């Protein structure tokens, strides 16, 4: 049977046991008796308390790793043992162990976390940035100055904003070398982003296509601006029924998806690349009766189908080419949109 940590002599053991008991008692107390000011103040203090508790947890993790606790427990390493014992995902436990080891090398950041002045996410950004600084810096004080600068900024910024600032920390603390290094880094990132760009999409069999992509930041910003032009509240207000209630809202993921569809439908066909002498055009085949008001679906050139209503809507702006088919779908006559013959 495990011993009660409250009976241990070390102050850390007693402090953890007492803190757990007090926090458990506070967490089950009636909060309605607290004033609004007390609730707001205590919420902020509880957030700092969580950072302090995590600081202690990471210090203990680093000490456990130095003592090879995991190996003595039969695990491959301490992070795996820690993850198994506390039911953490293994990648999460590995990441937290790396942070614990990094905090050992960055005492100012560790001290700020112990005080509750920063969060674990802030600490991860700061230590990661300082660890990634070049090893060939002529001024040995640059890493310490970079860490102090990021700690000062962490008080006013969230971790995401701090990470953006951390990318250019050398330009701030050592502009004589930082600007040139940042320029080279940015050029390398742009080349790698363009070289590693990818796009995948496939039909899900239920009337939709699903896909993912990774594109450079510039092209991502261009796409985002295009979609906002369709999805922004001003565009909605200009295109909705005048009798409908005028309610503006921020573009939701669904609205952005609708804007993406609208962008594709409005893409000028004459501006698209030529594929074998023909514009990159989707061909929809359907009989005249369905086009005029029937219910039969239209068939895409790739084998998919669309409803007659959608085909009629697209036909308002598309080119119509009449075709005469025989009894076995043999092509007997095919019209064309232009007076002159096309390349095909």
């Amino acid at each position: 049977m495990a011993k009660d940590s409250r009976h241990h002599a070390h102050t850390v053991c007693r402090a953890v046991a007492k803190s757990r008991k007090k926090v458990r008692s506070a967490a089950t107390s009636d909060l309605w008796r607290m004033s609004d000011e007390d609730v707001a103040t205590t919420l902020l203090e509880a957030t700092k308390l969580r950072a302090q508790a995590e600081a202690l947890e990471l210090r203990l993790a680093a000490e456990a790793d130095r003592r090879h606790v995991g190996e003595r427990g039969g695990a491959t390493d301490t992070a795996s043992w820690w993850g198994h014992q506390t039911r953490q995902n293994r990648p999460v436990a590995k990441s937290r162990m790396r942070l614990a080891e990094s905090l050992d090398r960055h005492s100012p950041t560790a001290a700020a976390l112990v005080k509750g002045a920063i969060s674990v996410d802030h600490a991860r950004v700061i230590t990661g940035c300082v660890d990634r600084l070049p090893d060939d810096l002529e001024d040995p004080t640059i890493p310490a100055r970079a860490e102090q600068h990021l700690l000062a900024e962490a008080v006013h910024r969230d971790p995401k904003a701090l990470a953006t600032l951390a990318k250019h920390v050398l330009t701030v603390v050592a502009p004589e070398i930082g600007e040139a290094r940042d320029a080279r880094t940015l050029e390398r990132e742009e080349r790698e982003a363009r070289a590693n760009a990818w796009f995948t999409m496939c039909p899900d069999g239920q009337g939709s296509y699903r896909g993912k992509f990774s594109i450079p930041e510039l092209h991502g910003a261009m796409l985002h601006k295009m979609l906002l032009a369709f999805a922004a509240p001003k565009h909605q207000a200009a295109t909705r029924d005048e009798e409908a209630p005028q309610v503006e809202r921020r573009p939701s993921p669904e609205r952005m998806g609708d804007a993406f569809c609208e962008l594709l439908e409005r893409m000028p066909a004459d501006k698209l690349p030529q594929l074998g002498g023909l514009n990159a055009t989707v061909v929809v085949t359907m009989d005249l009766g369905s086009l005029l008001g029937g219910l039969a679906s239209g068939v895409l050139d790739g084998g998919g189908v669309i409803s007659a209503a959608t085909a009629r809507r697209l036909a308002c702006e598309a080119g119509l080419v009449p075709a005469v088919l025989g009894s076995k779908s043999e092509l007997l006559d095919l019209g064309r949109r232009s007076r002159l013959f096309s390349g095909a």
Side-chain angles (χ1 to χ4, degrees), residues 1 28 46 58 80 82 94 118 133 137 169 181 203 218 222 240 258 262 274 288 301 311 341:
M1 181 180 296
T28 56
L58 292 173
S80 299
W82 185 24
K94 292 277 189 180
I118 61 174
L133 290 178
L137 295 174
V169 68
R181 288 182 180 272
L218 169 64
M222 293 168 63
R240 67 161 62 93
D258 185 60
E262 192 170 355
Q274 297 290 313
L288 180 61
D301 52 3
F341 290 100

Side-chain angles (χ1 to χ4, degrees), residues 3-6 12-28 49 53 56 87:
K3 296 181 180 180
D4 191 339
S5 60
R6 291 173 296 179
V12 173
C13 302
R14 295 198 303 268
V16 169
K18 290 180 180 179
S19 297
R20 288 194 61 203
K21 182 178 181 180
K22 291 182 178 180
V23 170
R24 182 171 62 249
S25 176
T28 56
L49 176 63
L56 174 59
R87 294 171 296 283

